[in-house]
Amino acid sequence: MKTGQAPELVTPLAIPRPTVAAARRIPRPGKEIVLSCLLLLLLIMGWEIIVRLRGIPPLIVPAPTVVWESLLTHTRSGFLIRHLGVTLAEILLGFAAGGLFGIGLGMGVALSPLLRGVLHPYVIASQAMPKLALAPIFVMWFGFGLLPKVIITALIAFFPLFENTVTGLNEVDRDARELFRALGASPWQTLRWLRLPNAAPYIVAGLRVAMVLSIVGAVVAEYVGANRGLGALIISSQGMLDTPLMFAVFVVLLVLGVVLYQVVVLLERACLARRYRA
Amino acid sequence: MTAKIEARGIFKVFETPSEPVQALRAVDLSAQPGEFVALVGESGCGKTTLLRILAGLVLPTQGEVWIDGTPLRGPSQHIGMVFQRPVLLPWRTAAENVLLPAQVRGLPLAEASLDARSLLESMGLGDFLDRFPRHLSGGMQQRVAIARALLLQPSILLMDEPFGALDAITREQMHLDLLNVWSARRPTLLFVTHDIAEAVFLADRVVLLSPRPGTVRQVFQVPLRRPRLPDHRFSGEFAAACRDVKHAMQGNGRGQG
Ligand SMILES: Nc1ncnc2c1ncn2[C@@H]1O[C@H](COP(=O)(O)OP(=O)(O)OP(=O)(O)O)[C@@H](O)[C@H]1O
Ligand SMILES: [Mg+2]
């Protein structure tokens, strides 16, 4: 009986393995990038062709070539760069402030059940409150400058980091906790050698989310009572009926978003290098 | 001679939402210095609970644990522990994992690093010092866990089904390696398992626990000579010893049914 069954057991296990390995090898990264670029080119060409054939006015949808021209003109004059600088400052300051505060408070809440109990309802309530709705009152309090936008961006960046810090510090393998107890580790040692390293990937993932939200926060905050920044530029180009400029700002925002996201991803790689090292 | 570790009249009741669970009742257990004691019993009979009490990780509801004649008040540097899973920190290399107990106790790391290295070398992991756990096989990971438990040269080593997750071939090799480190360092070893053959092959004494509530049913002296060799598994004495334990365990099952 047993000897008869053995080959049956071996064969189905042995076959799928090479197939899986082979399937993983097929998509070469170089090929993917080339295809992605081709698709982008195709989409832009399609856009240009449709706009021209249909004769859609630039006020509604400008053709890519028109957007490009506007982008070049306003970049050369330094106009776009100035506004980009303002928005970038708001994003980075808000992200840093909200992030530090989120990580700090998250650590406090994770380490102190008392603090957790006291603050929990407030954190939930502050999260349920749409922070962008506060923009008008912040303008009344803090004026039209950088500060109200930085505050809104910070409020938005706070939550993902707070949440992920708490989760990362608390969701520690039970057996690992028991190991630390058996070794006689102090709470501080457990934090340093077990809970913080355990939280690192959670916190870095929170940074990624917070970065994306910070960009949204800064730009939308500028919609409300700002005279500088990319968001303000979108509003004023609407007023001037300069749709190509608006699209040029969209392109700048797109590039900004991708660049900032990649910076955080690189940071993540550096932080977690030990785990990913082969 | 005072026992190295002794548990007297241990009761443990867990308060659960539905009803209290009596995990252990009137357990007496002792081990002499350098002795190898195996604890066997069916799943759920309180082996892990007893081991955690002996490690000072949980307080018994009643009763007391004595180490070298002094009562145990919590986790002790003289006790090393190996769990069923290796429980290695994934962000540390094998050598860094072994070093953890020295760091926690604030010992000089240069010296401890040398100890960690020679421990891993003695367990056949000399080429894997700087590997991360996910690049090690299950057996290798458990060796690292054993090396970590031995780093501070504990006089007592507690092991909770340490080889339960390993395949039979790896497990037999682990048995020989464990017996080697044990005879070289001679800690008092309490080894939990539900595998009777494993208990008989390794231990000087086999303590059989019976379930619900967990209590010591019978203690067997293993008649095999040391050093234990793989061929002992095929001897008549070995088979007889296993059979005695098995019968005692089943007798208990029928008594319950
Ligand atoms: N923290 C706990 N709370 C409530 N009940 C518990 C707790 N720990 C263990 N028990 C109960 O105590 C009994 C003994 O559990 P224990 O884990 O010690 O058994 P075991 O012999 O180690 O089993 P296994 O061989 O499956 O590991 C079980 O009935 C279990 O449900
Ligand atoms: Mg158990």
Side-chain angles (χ1 to χ4, degrees), chain A residues 95 98-100 102-107 110 157-170 191 195-211 264 267-268 271-272 275:
Chain A
F95 173 77
L100 285 177
I103 293 174
L105 200 65
M107 285 175 77
F158 163 81
F159 197 72
L161 279 162
F162 171 80
E163 184 88 339
N164 280 25
T165 303
V166 173
T167 308
L169 288 174
N170 282 340
L191 176 70
R195 299 177 72 186
L196 273 177
N198 185 70
Y202 292 82
I203 294 176
V204 191
L207 284 178
R208 248 185 292 147
V209 177
M211 178 48 87
V264 176
L267 197 81
E268 172 171 2
C271 277
L272 306 181
R275 284 191 224 207

Side-chain angles (χ1 to χ4, degrees), chain B residues 14 16 21 23 41-50 52 161 194:
Chain B
F14 287 109
T16 66
V21 176
E42 296 163 35
S43 184
C45 70
K47 305 183 294 293
T48 296
T49 305
L50 180 57
R52 294 178 73 219
E161 301 194 42
H194 52 237

Side-chain angles (χ1 to χ4, degrees), chain B:
Chain B
M1 183 156 63
T2 52
K4 182 74 205 174
I5 181 165
E6 183 169 14
R8 282 189 214 144
I10 301 287
F11 286 72
K12 181 67 193 179
V13 179
F14 287 109
E15 300 298 337
T16 66
S18 49
E19 56 177 9
V21 176
Q22 182 159 40
L24 296 171
R25 185 171 62 83
V27 172
D28 293 313
L29 182 76
S30 72
Q32 299 306 313
E35 195 182 12
F36 197 135
V37 178
L39 296 167
V40 293
E42 296 163 35
S43 184
C45 70
K47 305 183 294 293
T48 296
T49 305
L50 180 57
L51 215 61
R52 294 178 73 219
I53 289 172
L54 294 175
L57 289 169
V58 247
L59 280 177
T61 311
Q62 201 183 313
E64 203 154 25
V65 177
W66 303 73
I67 308 285
D68 290 322
T70 51
L72 181 69
R73 295 273 174 255
S76 153
Q77 192 174 342
H78 304 294
I79 301 177
M81 181 117 187
V82 179
F83 303 90
Q84 177 160 6
R85 296 196 302 123
V87 201
L88 302 179
L89 303 179
W91 51 85
R92 286 181 174 230
T93 62
E96 289 166 349
N97 265 290
V98 174
L99 209 53
L100 182 66
Q103 283 183 299
V104 169
R105 296 284 172 188
L107 302 176
L109 289 189
E111 208 175 300
S113 294
L114 291 180
D115 290 348
R117 169 183 285 265
S118 69
L119 260 168
L120 283 170
E121 276 166 0
S122 76
M123 306 210 67
L125 290 176
D127 293 336
F128 300 90
L129 298 172
D130 297 324
R131 295 289 183 91
F132 286 87
R134 81 202 124 95
H135 295 307
L136 301 175
S137 71
M140 289 171 163
Q141 292 185 22
Q142 199 57 286
R143 281 167 210 266
V144 175
I146 294 171
R148 178 180 60 197
L150 289 171
L151 182 73
L152 302 183
Q153 306 187 344
S155 52
I156 299 168
L157 186 58
L158 306 176
M159 303 180 88
D160 189 1
E161 301 194 42
F163 309 142
L166 304 179
D167 64 89
I169 297 171
T170 310
R171 197 179 322 162
E172 286 184 16
Q173 187 56 48
M174 296 292 279
H175 290 159
L176 300 178
D177 294 344
L178 175 63
L179 287 174
N180 273 337
V181 276
W182 171 71
S183 53
R185 298 170 166 253
R186 271 309 176 115
T188 302
L189 213 166
L190 274 84
F191 187 100
V192 163
T193 174
H194 52 237
D195 180 344
I196 293 172
E198 181 173 63
V200 169
F201 183 73
L202 293 173
D204 299 314
R205 265 191 311 143
V206 176
V207 175
L208 175 64
L209 297 177
S210 62
R212 279 169 292 275
T215 187
V216 176
R217 180 173 179 82
Q218 207 172 328
V219 180
F220 302 85
Q221 199 73 38
V222 177
L224 302 177
R225 254 173 296 112
R226 288 198 189 272
R228 302 281 163 84
L229 303 170
D231 275 355
H232 281 149
R233 292 181 206 275
F234 306 109
S235 70
E237 292 156 300
F238 182 81
C242 289
R243 191 189 54 218
D244 290 349
V245 181
K246 184 80 188 166
H247 282 179
M249 194 189 257
Q250 283 174 339
N252 175 66
R254 267 184 232 121
Q256 293 271 311

